[in-house]
Amino acid sequence: QVQLVESGGGSVQAGGSLRLSCAASRYTSTMGWFRQAPGKEREGVACIDSGGIQRFADSVRGRFTISKANAENLYLQMNSLKPEDTAMYYCAAGARRCQLEDFHAWNYWGQGTQVTVSA
């Protein structure tokens, strides 16, 4: 089992930045971020594996960066935020590979942290 705890969400105006953090209870090779807005399906945002492979959703590429530190800590730096980025953001771990298409492939989830971007 892996416990994941997110932090860093909040409210910001469009164009602003936020940095999300995720602390894992133990090392896991592949970690990622997903988000879910009210009335919408959960969607992949970014992921990273132990080999340094990273993937990003088209909607965030060039604005968001993902990184890991100390093997158990995951970060999501979000710049140039837009109102459409408003969602609950979830840290995920346990997938066999870094992919964003199928959230069912990720075995462990945090409780989520809310990000709200106002126009």
Side-chain angles (χ1 to χ4, degrees), residues 34 42 44 95 97 99-107 109:
F34 286 72
R42 189 167 297 193
R97 62 183 183 90
Q99 59 84 22
L100 302 174
E101 294 77 22
D102 181 11
F103 69 84
H104 294 100
W106 297 77
N107 296 317
W109 294 88

Side-chain angles (χ1 to χ4, degrees), residues 11-38:
S11 297
V12 65
Q13 289 189 328
S17 298
L18 284 173
R19 188 188 193 216
L20 304 184
S21 300
C22 174
S25 60
R26 64 171 177 83
Y27 170 78
T28 175
S29 60
T30 303
M31 298 184 74
W33 292 97
F34 286 72
R35 66 187 181 187
Q36 188 165 17

Side-chain angles (χ1 to χ4, degrees), residues 19 22-24 27 31 48 66-75:
R19 188 188 193 216
C22 174
Y27 170 78
M31 298 184 74
I48 186 170
I66 189 170
S67 60
K68 289 186 74 179
N70 302 321
E72 294 96 5
N73 294 300
L74 180 70
Y75 304 98

Side-chain angles (χ1 to χ4, degrees), residues 39-87:
K40 294 187 177 182
E41 292 186 352
R42 189 167 297 193
E43 64 171 350
V45 176
C47 61
I48 186 170
D49 70 11
S50 59
I53 290 176
Q54 301 179 14
R55 290 193 167 82
F56 294 89
D58 290 343
S59 59
V60 307
R61 187 174 293 111
R63 300 187 297 122
F64 292 9
T65 59
I66 189 170
S67 60
K68 289 186 74 179
N70 302 321
E72 294 96 5
N73 294 300
L74 180 70
Y75 304 98
L76 185 70
Q77 178 66 42
M78 306 185 295
N79 298 326
S80 301
L81 282 161
K82 303 175 181 180
E84 50 264 43
D85 294 318
T86 295

